[in-house]
Amino acid sequence: MVLSGGIILFICALGTLVIPKRFLSQYCLLTTAFIFVMHWFLPQQGQFSFEFFGFDLELYVYHPLRQLVASAFSFYALIFFIYVFGEQQSRWFYFLSMMHVAAALSFLFVNDSLSFFIFWELIAVSVVLLVLEQGYHSLISTYFYYQMTSAVLLFIGIGITYSVSNSLQLAVVPAAYPFVILAVCIKMAILPFHVWMLETYPKVPPTLAVLLSGYGTKVGVFSLWLLLPNLKFEVIGGIVAVVAILYAFKQHSIRRFLSFHIISQIGYMIAGIGSLSTTSVTGAMLHIVNHIIYKGLLFMIAGILLTKFGTDNMLEIRGAGRRSPLLFVSAIVAAASIAGMPPFNGYFSKTLLTQDLSSITYYLLTIATVGTAISFSKFIHYTFLAQEKQLQTDVSLPVTWQITLISLSFTCLILGIGPALFWQPTVLEFKPLLTSGFAVFAGITLFKWKFEAIHHIAVLITPETASVSKKIAFIYGKAVIRLRGFHTGNIQDYLLWFFASFVLIWICMFLWI
Amino acid sequence: MNELVVFVLIYPLLFAVALQNRVGKENPYKVGITGIIMGILALVLLNNTLGKGEVIAYPVGGWGYLKGIVIAVDQLSLLLGGLIHFIGLITLLFSSKQFILKPHIFVSLVLLCIMGLNGMVLTADLFNLFVFLELASLVSYALVGYNKEAEGLEGAFKYVLMSFGGSMLVLWATALVYGISGSLNIVGAAEAVRQAPHFLQITIIVMYVSGFSVKAGLFPAHAWKADAYTAAPAPVGALLSGASSKVAIYALFRVLSVLFGWSMLSDMNLGVILATLGLGSIFIGHMLAFGQSRLKRLLTYSSIAHIGYIIIGLSVFNMLGTVGALFHMVNHGLLKAGLFYFAAVATENDEIGSLKGLFRRSPGLAISFVAMALGMAGVPPLNGFLSKWLIVMGAMEAGFYIHAAVIVIAGLMALFYYVPLVQIIFTPSDEKQVLVLERSQMCVIKTVVAISVVLFFIGNWVYPVFQEVASNLIYPDGYIDAILNLN
């Protein structure tokens, strides 16, 4: 019997409800460190399955890629608990964030659709409860409706798969493709289903945004690999990467800007997984790992800037670089990683995942790389380099924040320089491609030369997303009012319906046989 | 030991009478609770004597099954009996601190209601079933209008009229069965009914379906429910929607499955018709619950929708769906009872607006509500999810794709009205006064939440039990044999 780290973490999460409050942060730190060590150094072969409710559940199935992503998830949890070490948080906060991490971790190892679905929902539910716990009750509705729509579609897909194949296999049958693809698209927040992300990530407290950015969308990408192993959709990834960049150009709020960049990076991962080649899929998984690291770093920087300057509008912050060199350096590292500049980690995984792509996807991703470089040049320029505005702000950072910034920056560097040190890709031929390095330089140059024009073009060609969900809500509300009109409270009507239905059923039964 | 069956049937009557003397008037709740606990003990003893797949058939007065009344107990009746008793128990525990006029009358009415429901569950005699149905209904009217306010009386009146229509159809169907077979026992009548002309068979089926659908509140006979349950005191709403409507569904399927056999029913397109009615219930219930300003009305519409789930689960006529439906009866009964109790203590005058800031005033109550609402919407890790999963998978297996999809979507529709409620509860308000609950009331609500979480995790051990229970419904051979062996 092999227990996955996620299940152990679930049990540990129950501990947060009973242990004394002053040891809570230490406790979470220790348990996540233990889980990280377990996933990183002691990968367990074998599997764990049992019968639940008449269905065979497989809670743990070993696969190197699953273990790789799990290591990243648990490492990020460890970093997160260092980040919140000094903060005053309630017991429920620790409990729910442990639950969130545990659900995401368990999710990575399952091999049947019932437990897959349970963890898929638990990830969303724990976020909703976390947001409620932080006092942002007005934010839960959009997030919850979108996530539940995704869960509903997935449930239908699983049901169809069950009725066709009579098994709870993860790979869905073709009849279920439309439902499952839509479900995963919502979970990954790719355009135009990104509204839930814009409603949570930029609006929740910075600490929570750091946690959410690590797991929420990555599980969607990972589930692509599990649910649709035979579908080739790499071009979609390229398009998503480019379009999201165009939207990112327009943003001035750092966290909205980062949210669009998440979507764009997810485009890379979709392209890698959708190419169906082992090399590219491995590259995409590595990109998930790298993305968690550098995007987490960026969200931490955004959170720190928000806490220190009281705003996350990059045009208002200006020139933070001179005040806090550490923040500046880590932002540079993160930006270089996300843009795919050698020798940082983004470069390695992007090179790997573009190995077997078709040429059109490859060019789309190159364009996206140039775009990423442009937009991060903008971020660095305004936030850290431009003329200072807020001179009196105190930018000294607590030790825990310094530790997290330094360790994540180093991880970016280490994962770029020596992936072979930590993880041996067995089937890969590593062909270094300098294209993305050139693309980054091209991007920076373009920013210096013609940013105004690019910004204008982006504003012109990206339509504001129409709120379809509001329209649906309106129609639903109208239908409800119409329906309520029938229920007048008039007993004659009710009796009439009843006897009419009696006659109708009788006729139906009689005619049908 | 078989005489225990009779005890289970008549003890509520004894206690209801005992409540009218001096001791009963002084401690009505204690006497009532003692009675129900004795009933639960009797059920436990019965369960222990009942082996796997066995049926206890007890001819009252030793008259045999053709002339006399037979009481038959199997796992299925025990499950329903347990549900009735449990909800009755927590209802009395909960309302023991509630201010209700003349509590001794209230408690004896609750006991009589339990007696009627018990009788419906235990009897194997069609006319007896009708009598107990009427008893339960009559007591329910009194309970709905218990506070003697105009609204309650109106609700009770609507309930009386609709329910009368339903009872009439049930009685006609019973009369038809008696005319065809010359027997009022379900088993005794079965053979003749199965060989009756097609026309009569269909008439009997449709009369039973329509008759019991009124009691269950199935679409399109659902409309009385909103007025009646909203006007009823909250504990009564819990009892009626938690136990009473489930028992009506049980009676319908028990009668049909013994009279006609499961395979004959599924050949008759009855499944499609019932499932379509269930579909209507789901849509009507969830859509009308959206945007209600009164909590009990919202909960009532939600329970109409859940009746739809259960009906769909049963009418796909396979093992998975039946197990899911039976499990959902338990889950829904439990959670809906809990939500009605919540409505009783957390709101003023049942207005949803008065929930504002509840999280500050009583965090425990607010968190319990969130848990119960998630359970109702079918979100893991709560029991509602498991039964929904089973019903959906059963429907998919039987080829009811649209019905399965609608049940899944219904979870989302449920969130449309629960999420705003949660938001209101968590909105801070000016009122700082802490909401103090009686200990027993808080205890009941927390127990409901705890059971629903535990049921999710022990689902593995619960499942075989429900499978056995479902096979009692699907393969009634044991039931038939046990009664035939009496003569």
Side-chain angles (χ1 to χ4, degrees):
Chain A
M1 183 170 135
V2 190
L3 278 181
S4 74
I7 305 294
I8 298 174
L9 206 55
F10 268 123
I11 299 162
C12 293
L14 294 179
T16 55
L17 294 177
V18 288
I19 63 164
K21 204 170 173 197
R22 59 207 152 100
F23 296 127
L24 267 178
S25 43
Q26 288 92 327
Y27 174 77
C28 292
L29 202 62
L30 278 178
T31 44
T32 42
F34 167 70
I35 300 295
F36 169 62
V37 169
M38 190 184 131
H39 278 133
W40 190 251
F41 297 106
L42 313 162
Q44 291 164 303
Q45 309 281 341
Q47 60 180 17
F48 171 48
S49 58
F50 67 100
E51 199 181 312
F52 182 78
F53 239 70
F55 300 101
D56 283 322
L57 299 196
E58 292 179 66
L59 273 187
Y60 186 91
V61 172
Y62 178 78
H63 190 285
L65 291 181
R66 292 173 189 251
Q67 189 244 324
L68 171 74
V69 180
S71 314
F73 274 22
S74 44
F75 176 69
Y76 190 70
L78 173 63
I79 294 290
F80 172 73
F81 282 116
I82 297 176
Y83 181 77
V84 293
F85 197 78
E87 291 186 19
Q88 288 292 320
Q89 296 286 4
S90 73
R91 191 181 282 280
W92 284 103
F93 175 82
Y94 285 105
F95 173 69
L96 290 170
S97 41
M98 289 276 270
M99 288 298 255
H100 184 61
V101 176
L105 265 176
S106 323
F107 177 85
L108 296 177
F109 288 101
V110 298
N111 199 28
D112 70 281
S113 45
L114 174 54
S115 36
F116 181 89
F117 183 76
I118 291 177
F119 291 128
W120 177 284
E121 289 224 59
L122 273 183
I123 292 169
V125 170
S126 53
V127 171
V128 169
L129 296 179
L130 267 171
V131 175
L132 265 184
E133 190 272 336
Q134 295 280 314
Y136 285 69
H137 49 83
S138 56
L139 293 181
I140 62 169
S141 53
T142 314
Y143 182 87
F144 210 6
Y145 294 157
Y146 268 85
Q147 293 290 335
M148 288 307 287
T149 312
S150 146
V152 160
L153 291 165
L154 179 69
F155 199 163
I156 295 175
I158 290 173
I160 293 173
T161 308
Y162 178 74
S163 75
V164 172
S165 68
N166 211 8
S167 75
L168 290 180
Q169 63 186 28
L170 269 183
V172 294
V173 294
Y177 278 172
F179 300 104
V180 171
I181 290 174
L182 209 54
V184 177
C185 282
I186 294 174
K187 193 78 174 180
M188 292 191 302
I190 67 174
L191 295 151
F193 307 110
H194 62 291
V195 180
W196 66 264
M197 188 193 237
L198 295 184
E199 282 293 312
T200 30
Y201 290 14
K203 293 183 181 173
V204 295
T207 316
L208 197 51
V210 169
L211 179 67
L212 301 194
S213 70
Y215 305 103
T217 49
K218 262 54 98 196
V219 290
V221 180
F222 190 81
S223 63
L224 264 187
W225 179 62
L226 296 176
L227 294 172
L228 305 164
N230 305 315
L231 199 63
K232 210 167 160 69
F233 45 79
E234 50 174 82
V235 186
I236 299 170
I239 297 168
V240 168
V242 173
V243 175
I245 291 285
L246 290 178
Y247 277 93
F249 279 145
K250 299 198 293 186
Q251 311 302 326
H252 296 305
S253 148
I254 297 178
R255 291 191 292 169
R256 275 177 80 89
F257 163 84
L258 291 180
S259 302
F260 278 109
H261 273 290
I262 291 184
I263 303 170
S264 152
Q265 295 301 309
I266 279 170
Y268 284 83
M269 300 165 200
I270 296 172
I273 290 173
S275 71
L276 304 185
S277 93
T278 320
T279 319
S280 290
V281 170
T282 314
M285 292 298 169
L286 258 182
H287 200 59
I288 294 182
V289 173
N290 294 338
H291 180 78
I292 291 172
I293 308 291
Y294 59 67
K295 195 42 68 71
L297 181 53
L298 283 168
F299 264 98
M300 278 175 196
I301 292 168
I304 292 169
L305 287 173
L306 178 64
T307 329
K308 292 291 174 192
F309 290 87
T311 171
D312 74 342
N313 188 330
M314 50 178 104
L315 300 182
E316 284 176 27
I317 294 176
R318 295 184 93 94
R322 285 165 219 171
R323 321 288 314 283
S324 172
L326 176 60
L327 214 52
F328 180 47
V329 172
S330 37
I332 292 276
V333 170
S337 305
I338 195 174
M341 173 121 140
F344 295 100
N345 59 359
Y347 168 67
F348 177 67
S349 51
K350 280 183 187 176
T351 312
L352 216 53
L353 77 82
T354 47
Q355 293 275 303
D356 290 336
L357 294 187
S358 63
S359 53
I360 179 160
T361 319
Y362 183 77
Y363 289 124
L364 281 172
L365 290 187
T366 313
I367 295 171
T369 307
V370 176
T372 312
I374 296 175
S375 86
F376 270 90
S377 307
K378 173 192 165 194
F379 167 60
I380 298 284
H381 176 80
Y382 283 117
T383 319
F384 294 102
L385 296 177
Q387 194 63 46
E388 286 178 75
K389 246 187 182 175
Q390 305 188 10
L391 288 171
Q392 61 277 45
T393 315
D394 172 34
V395 225
S396 57
L397 305 180
V399 185
T400 50
W401 288 4
Q402 291 182 8
I403 293 174
T404 47
L405 289 178
I406 293 171
S407 53
L408 279 182
S409 308
F410 263 103
T411 317
C412 283
L413 199 60
I414 291 169
L415 284 181
I417 294 172
L421 285 179
F422 288 92
W423 185 67
Q424 283 87 22
T426 45
V427 284
L428 310 171
E429 311 165 33
F430 178 61
K431 297 183 219 152
L433 265 182
L434 283 175
T435 338
S436 58
F438 287 128
V440 173
F441 285 115
I444 297 172
T445 322
L446 272 174
F447 171 73
K448 280 281 173 202
W449 182 38
K450 275 263 181 292
F451 181 67
E452 291 289 307
I454 295 169
H455 185 259
H456 279 302
I457 294 170
V459 171
L460 271 182
I461 61 177
T462 52
E464 276 308 313
T465 42
S467 177
V468 182
S469 48
K470 273 193 185 135
K471 249 172 219 162
I472 292 176
F474 182 72
I475 294 170
Y476 186 74
K478 278 236 157 165
V480 168
I481 291 168
R482 176 71 62 83
L483 200 59
R484 209 176 281 168
F486 288 112
H487 291 70
T488 47
N490 194 343
I491 187 69
Q492 285 98 323
D493 288 355
Y494 297 172
L495 278 170
L496 183 69
W497 297 350
F498 166 53
F499 284 111
S501 78
F502 166 67
V503 175
L504 208 64
I505 296 171
W506 193 81
I507 292 172
C508 279
M509 291 278 294
F510 201 67
L511 290 183
W512 265 2
I513 296 168
Chain B
M1 285 300 270
N2 292 0
E3 282 73 14
L4 266 178
V5 182
V6 184
F7 174 76
V8 174
L9 262 186
I10 58 166
Y11 86 87
L13 191 60
L14 297 178
F15 277 86
V17 174
L19 274 165
Q20 308 310 320
N21 66 20
R22 197 178 54 80
V23 183
K25 276 182 184 167
E26 276 167 15
N27 317 298
Y29 291 109
K30 279 179 190 158
V31 174
I33 289 167
T34 318
I36 293 182
I37 287 175
M38 282 174 73
I40 290 177
L41 283 178
L43 285 180
V44 170
L45 281 177
L46 270 178
N47 187 30
N48 288 347
T49 52
L50 205 63
K52 217 174 189 177
E54 270 180 12
V55 180
I56 298 175
Y58 181 79
V60 179
W63 285 90
Y65 76 92
L66 282 175
K67 294 195 183 65
I69 292 168
V70 177
I71 297 171
V73 184
D74 60 359
Q75 303 259 349
L76 178 59
S77 3
L78 278 183
L79 174 77
L80 265 289
L83 181 67
I84 296 162
H85 277 84
F86 185 73
I87 292 180
L89 177 68
I90 56 177
T91 301
L92 283 192
L93 276 175
F94 180 83
S95 48
S96 63
K97 298 293 185 326
Q98 185 103 351
F99 180 67
I100 284 179
L101 245 53
K102 294 187 185 166
H104 65 283
I105 294 184
F106 178 77
V107 174
S108 51
L109 283 177
V110 169
L111 281 173
L112 285 177
C113 185
I114 288 174
M115 179 188 176
L117 298 176
N118 258 344
M120 284 171 75
V121 167
L122 296 180
T123 185
D125 184 280
L126 284 171
F127 190 72
N128 216 341
L129 175 68
F130 171 75
V131 171
F132 280 118
L133 177 70
E134 278 301 278
L135 173 63
S137 305
L138 277 173
V139 179
S140 308
Y141 313 145
L143 281 172
V144 166
Y146 192 79
N147 284 344
K148 291 188 186 165
E149 288 157 359
E151 199 189 10
L153 293 178
E154 186 198 330
F157 180 66
K158 283 178 186 167
Y159 188 7
V160 170
L161 283 183
M162 289 295 282
S163 180
F164 172 72
S167 306
M168 185 184 72
L169 288 182
V170 171
L171 187 59
W172 277 354
T174 309
L176 266 180
V177 170
Y178 184 66
I180 290 168
S181 66
S183 167
L184 278 170
N185 190 291
I186 314 182
V187 174
E191 205 173 324
V193 169
R194 283 183 201 198
Q195 283 154 6
H198 215 74
F199 172 76
L200 285 175
Q201 283 181 346
I202 288 177
T203 313
I204 291 169
I205 290 180
V206 176
M207 277 176 172
Y208 272 128
V209 167
S210 292
F212 282 116
S213 79
V214 179
K215 310 282 173 181
L218 186 68
F219 170 80
H222 62 280
W224 59 269
K225 241 182 163 181
D227 290 324
Y229 288 11
T230 313
V236 174
L239 182 67
L240 293 187
S241 82
S244 177
S245 47
K246 313 292 184 302
V247 172
I249 296 177
Y250 158 85
L252 171 64
F253 276 85
R254 168 68 96 193
V255 167
L256 290 187
S257 109
V258 177
L259 271 187
F260 294 94
W262 206 250
S263 55
M264 195 167 165
L265 290 176
S266 55
D267 290 343
M268 270 185 180
N269 283 327
L270 181 68
V272 180
I273 290 175
L274 274 178
T276 312
L277 293 184
L279 217 59
S281 293
I282 292 179
F283 274 117
I284 295 263
H286 279 322
M287 285 176 79
L288 287 180
F290 178 73
Q292 291 291 348
S293 61
R294 299 186 60 183
L295 187 52
K296 274 193 286 183
R297 190 172 276 266
L298 184 149
L299 295 177
T300 309
Y301 278 123
S302 151
S303 78
I304 290 172
H306 282 270
I307 293 295
Y309 291 25
I310 296 169
I311 285 286
I312 290 180
L314 284 168
S315 57
V316 300
F317 292 118
N318 62 14
M319 193 64 174
L320 222 50
T322 312
V323 172
L326 291 172
F327 195 27
H328 201 71
M329 283 187 189
V330 175
N331 295 341
H332 174 252
L334 198 68
L335 285 171
K336 194 43 70 66
L339 282 170
F340 267 106
Y341 302 147
F342 172 84
V345 289
T347 58
E348 289 163 24
N349 272 338
D350 204 22
E351 291 295 328
I352 282 176
S354 65
L355 286 174
K356 197 176 169 195
L358 183 73
F359 180 62
R360 292 282 162 77
R361 286 185 283 143
S362 174
L365 205 56
I367 292 169
S368 310
F369 175 78
V370 173
M372 289 189 287
L374 289 180
M376 283 269 100
V379 173
L382 286 143
N383 55 359
F385 167 72
L386 280 184
S387 45
K388 202 173 82 172
W389 171 275
L390 285 174
I391 294 175
V392 169
M393 288 301 160
M396 284 281 184
E397 205 178 68
F400 285 68
Y401 297 110
I402 295 172
H403 300 79
V406 167
I407 293 179
V408 176
I409 294 167
L412 188 62
M413 289 164 81
L415 282 182
F416 285 161
Y417 53 85
Y418 281 127
V419 168
L421 278 184
V422 172
Q423 285 178 327
I424 289 173
I425 287 174
F426 279 79
T427 310
S429 74
D430 303 333
E431 197 177 337
K432 288 281 185 294
Q433 199 184 1
V434 179
L435 185 69
V436 185
L437 286 190
E438 297 290 343
R439 221 162 132 207
S440 65
Q441 294 184 329
M442 199 63 208
C443 204
V444 165
I445 292 178
K446 279 187 176 164
T447 312
V448 166
V449 174
I451 290 178
S452 60
V453 175
V454 167
L455 269 182
F456 178 85
F457 286 103
I458 65 164
N460 214 5
W461 291 278
V462 173
Y463 185 70
V465 178
F466 275 95
Q467 232 171 357
E468 252 175 63
V469 172
S471 64
N472 274 327
L473 185 61
I474 299 176
Y475 312 110
D477 307 338
Y479 193 85
I480 294 175
D481 289 344
I483 293 177
L484 285 181
N485 286 340
L486 283 177
N487 275 29

